[in-house]
Amino acid sequence: MYDDLIGRPFASQNQGLSFDRHTAKRLLAEAQEALPYEYSALLTGHGSMVTGYLAMRSSSHDRNSFSWDAPSFFQALASVRKAGVQWVGILHSHPTSPPVPSKADQIGWHYPQLAYWILSFAGGMPDLRLYQWSDGRFVERPYTLADIVGSVGSTGDMPPRSD
């Protein structure tokens, strides 16, 4: 039913995921504005590329969790379809904890084919990590920030992780 709507960013084992640098920069700014609350967004694009997003308002007023009500979620999916892109993942922030999926994240994840991104503000610098659901657990995956949709400038880009 949703084959054309839901992407498969991990379809190729050898292909890395790409996140548009300009989109990442906008998401970082919006997530910072949402502090001290968690921020969440549906990520859109095609294949293994994230090129856009739809910010999602949480139906929870809890600072350490997010949830979406059904009408907002289905309205967002209709917007994705109308835009001619695919839903390729979600992003949410962890304002005070590391960018590691929590037990609640694991229990609440219902789309194993999609990318799961966590943006943490727990350290001195924002830390964005990508996960894939595999064999009943989240596995961290590499990604690249790239100029996919013609963004200009690099001031304020999210810094790369250093492991």
Side-chain angles (χ1 to χ4, degrees):
M1 177 174 170
Y2 293 108
D3 288 344
D4 62 332
L5 177 66
I6 297 177
R8 297 198 178 278
F10 299 109
S12 171
Q13 291 285 54
N14 298 323
Q15 183 175 358
L17 272 66
S18 298
F19 205 120
D20 174 60
R21 188 180 318 274
H22 181 70
T23 301
K25 190 170 143 180
R26 290 185 358 240
L27 279 163
L28 172 62
E30 288 184 19
Q32 284 176 316
E33 287 177 18
L35 291 172
Y37 296 94
E38 283 198 12
Y39 173 84
S40 63
L42 292 182
L43 301 177
T44 61
H46 288 287
S48 62
M49 295 184 296
V50 176
T51 57
Y53 68 95
L54 292 167
M56 297 293 293
R57 183 182 310 263
S58 180
S59 59
S60 164
H61 296 292
D62 183 356
R63 288 184 180 196
N64 298 310
S65 68
F66 71 96
S67 59
W68 305 324
D69 63 55
S72 297
F73 176 68
F74 288 117
Q75 182 179 14
L77 291 180
S79 296
V80 170
R81 178 170 279 164
K82 184 177 180 182
V85 293
Q86 293 178 314
W87 176 28
V88 295
I90 70 139
L91 173 138
H92 78 283
S93 65
H94 283 184
T96 59
S97 61
V100 176
S102 66
K103 192 62 137 173
D105 291 338
Q106 294 176 33
I107 291 168
W109 188 235
H110 304 292
Y111 302 94
Q113 70 276 28
L114 298 178
Y116 197 79
W117 300 80
I118 301 176
L119 174 60
S120 174
F121 294 101
M125 297 292 287
D127 189 356
L128 179 64
R129 300 213 186 165
L130 165 63
Y131 295 90
Q132 176 183 14
W133 187 259
S134 180
D135 296 324
R137 64 186 184 92
F138 283 111
V139 177
E140 189 172 354
R141 293 285 306 268
Y143 67 92
T144 58
L145 289 176
D147 294 318
I148 297 172
V149 292
S151 67
V152 293
S154 60
T155 306
D157 289 340
M158 189 172 305
R161 276 191 331 144
S162 57
D163 290 327

